[in-house]
Amino acid sequence: MRPFAYERPATAEEAVALVATRPGAVFLGGGTNLVEHLKLGIARPRVLVDVTGLPLDTVEELPDGGLRIGATVRNADLAAHPVVRERYPVVSQALVSGGSAQLRNAATLGGNLMQRTRCVYFQDPDTPCNKREPGSGCSALSGFTGHNAVLGASEHCVAVHPSDVAVALCAVDAVVMTVGPSGRRRVPLTRLHRLPGDAPERDTGLERGELITAVQLPPLPTAARSRYRKVRDRASFSFALVSVAAALDLEGGTVRDVRVAFGGVAPKPWRATRAETALRGAPGTAESFATAAHAELAAARTVPGNAYKVPLACDTLVATLLDLCEGS
């Protein structure tokens, strides 16, 4: 392991200044992703700026009924929070589905959102990877393709986004609060992560030194009836082949409102707006759900190795919405 300096700032502004001005400086949260990359040799920071000591570790109920979640709240604590479980069960379920109990005890919400892809080629420094070394090529295009994205990919990168809770937060219209060299701003979760295009090395739209300080959940009655379903190779400690975060509001058997996001199919959490449009006002039936799923995935681009993801995503969405119907 290469040597690095360690800083523990007292304020968010101090943390931002350190990362923005010192070459090779990066933020350190729970470290569950970054430390792994240090061991693999794919991350070589010169300075680690530890933000876990900042006062960003609380969950605050807002006057309008929403929640403000500090960026350093541990995933295990957030999953068990009674208000999250009652008003946003999809968020709690997504958190519990990610990693192991030990990792959830260490991982932070902000760090989870910023984790990098788990593509096997990205994690292997001996193989070409445009996300790790821009311009070197994408090994996943001609190598193992089973985990490749079917939506939103480009000729430069086909890796999928790994976070579970980011998919759930995408579905409930979460907003990310940041502070950076240019000041404070609010970023809708749907716009935090970016598609690879011709610059796959950039995972998000944040500027250098910009720090996530909180995530705000709006008051959303539909979210009280929500679910996260994750399909994976094994029952625990495995990333999603396909996942669905959904919230459903039925009235007299008709869909009054619905929120849907997919995981495991794209380089970012994929808000299924086409499916939502197709479902609003439609009957709450398996046929309607399947039609909406196919509408969303009609633009999927596949190769033989990952073609299974399209029918799997459709079936997972249908099953998730039917479960929510039974609970209505």
Side-chain angles (χ1 to χ4, degrees):
M1 184 180 291
R2 298 187 179 190
F4 52 81
Y6 175 82
E7 299 283 354
R8 193 171 174 86
T11 66
E13 289 75 14
E14 183 183 346
V16 167
L18 283 168
V19 173
T21 60
R22 293 182 65 173
V26 297
F27 295 119
L28 172 67
T32 56
N33 190 211
L34 178 58
V35 172
E36 178 185 18
H37 287 176
L38 288 171
K39 293 177 179 178
L40 291 171
I42 60 176
R44 301 177 179 86
R46 297 181 185 177
V47 186
L48 296 186
V49 179
D50 188 345
V51 298
T52 57
L54 302 180
L56 305 173
D57 60 349
T58 59
V59 180
E60 176 187 0
E61 293 189 60
L62 301 177
D64 63 2
L67 284 182
R68 181 184 175 93
I69 305 164
T72 62
V73 171
R74 305 291 174 170
N75 285 1
D77 295 334
L78 184 59
H81 196 284
V83 178
V84 175
R85 295 180 64 185
E86 176 185 358
R87 298 182 194 171
Y88 308 91
V90 66
V91 174
S92 177
Q93 293 164 14
L95 286 162
V96 170
S97 77
S100 63
Q102 293 90 337
L103 287 173
R104 293 193 294 273
N105 286 336
T108 63
L109 179 60
N112 188 285
L113 296 180
M114 294 298 291
Q115 69 179 296
R116 308 210 68 189
T117 183
R118 302 308 171 109
C119 174
V120 294
Y121 298 108
F122 173 76
Q123 297 188 99
D124 181 355
D126 294 326
T127 61
C129 171
N130 286 322
K131 186 174 285 292
R132 181 170 25 82
E133 296 182 23
S136 63
C138 176
S139 297
L141 288 172
S142 58
F144 175 70
T145 59
H147 293 161
N148 289 6
V150 297
L151 294 168
S154 76
E155 62 181 336
H156 302 287
C157 183
V158 291
V160 298
H161 186 74
S163 173
D164 291 295
V165 73
V167 180
L169 294 172
C170 180
V172 298
D173 296 331
V175 176
V176 175
M177 323 291 287
T178 72
V179 60
S182 301
R184 296 183 180 272
R185 63 172 177 150
R186 298 164 56 93
V187 182
L189 197 285
T190 53
R191 299 179 186 174
L192 175 65
H193 303 97
R194 60 182 300 278
L195 297 178
D198 59 2
E201 70 277 10
R202 294 182 56 214
D203 294 342
T204 74
L206 300 186
E207 65 177 323
R208 175 163 178 78
E210 191 168 5
L211 174 67
I212 295 176
T213 57
V215 175
Q216 190 165 316
L217 306 186
L220 188 65
T222 306
R225 182 178 293 126
S226 59
R227 184 159 299 182
Y228 186 74
R229 184 182 290 262
K230 180 177 181 178
V231 182
R232 46 190 163 179
D233 284 327
R234 56 182 184 267
S236 66
F237 197 57
S238 185
F239 294 95
L241 300 174
V242 164
S243 67
V244 168
L248 183 67
D249 181 13
L250 286 177
E251 183 177 29
T254 299
V255 177
R256 181 165 60 180
D257 192 19
V258 65
R259 309 296 171 101
V260 176
F262 284 111
V265 299
K268 60 181 286 185
W270 191 268
R271 184 66 180 265
T273 54
R274 291 183 181 87
E276 292 176 356
T277 299
L279 283 169
R280 291 190 179 99
T285 63
E287 292 75 15
S288 294
F289 300 155
T291 298
H294 286 293
E296 187 64 45
L297 290 154
R301 300 178 63 183
T302 66
V303 294
N306 68 352
Y308 73 92
K309 287 197 174 193
V310 175
L312 183 59
C314 290
D315 291 347
T316 305
L317 177 57
V318 172
T320 305
L321 292 175
L322 286 176
D323 282 350
L324 290 171
C325 287
E326 292 175 2
S328 62

